[in-house]
Amino acid sequence: MTARCGAAILTRMTQTGSAARAWIGTVFFLFLAPGVVAGLIPWLISGWRRFDWGGGWVVVLVAWLMIAAGAAFLLHAFALFAMHRGTPAPVAPTETLVVTGVYRFVRNPMYLAVLTIILAQALLFGSWWLVLYAGIVLAAVVAFVKGYEEPTLASTYGEQYLDYRRNVPGWWPRLSPWQAPEP
């Protein structure tokens, strides 16, 4: 085996280890952050006791569809971070700016998915307390995005992030996907 071949194998092993760490970290953070914010705390607030809408099966159906859509978007967004060899956690960011998948439509799909799940639970459980909680989560998320996330991404990725930010809205999804310019 040549030194060049050995270096290639070592590089591949390092990349594989990095990918495994990214997936493990992403799954851990999924349970830690959205799991607590959109699962544990709503359960503590509502007890997950379904509200009797008096035959209003459409309301229940809409709530479950919102939960399913929110969970699907959340899982998709989390997977994109792992595929970019990082996690959504600020302590273990991706190697590259994530501008694929749902991020081509909106810059904050994870936050929107979590808020959708919380509001769907408010509907399913008939809980105004969960609506209030969703408002508090929204305020906290917007403060975090404006105070930490956007400045950090701008300083880390520079013009690439600023171009992305100019073209992709933060909170209201585009109708058509944004195409990142070729490097």
Side-chain angles (χ1 to χ4, degrees), residues 119-172:
L119 289 172
Q121 290 177 84
L123 187 60
L124 187 63
F125 307 130
S127 173
W128 286 106
W129 290 109
L130 282 176
V131 174
L132 176 63
Y133 171 64
I136 293 167
V137 169
L138 176 62
V141 163
V142 169
F144 177 74
V145 166
K146 295 296 182 190
Y148 173 79
E149 197 170 84
E150 288 181 350
T152 300
L153 291 170
S155 69
T156 303
Y157 300 108
E159 189 55 39
Q160 181 189 13
Y161 174 71
L162 296 176
D163 184 43
Y164 172 65
R165 189 171 152 187
R166 280 190 294 272
N167 288 286
V168 179
W171 303 102
W172 194 258

Side-chain angles (χ1 to χ4, degrees), residues 74-125:
L74 186 64
L75 292 173
H76 173 70
F78 264 75
L80 289 172
F81 271 74
M83 289 188 294
H84 283 82
R85 299 203 186 282
T87 74
V91 296
T94 57
E95 294 175 359
T96 58
L97 183 64
V98 179
V99 293
T100 59
V102 293
Y103 288 92
R104 295 170 59 204
F105 294 90
V106 67
R107 290 194 321 266
N108 298 303
M110 285 188 224
Y111 301 133
L112 292 174
V114 166
L115 287 164
T116 298
I117 293 168
I118 295 168
L119 289 172
Q121 290 177 84
L123 187 60
L124 187 63
F125 307 130

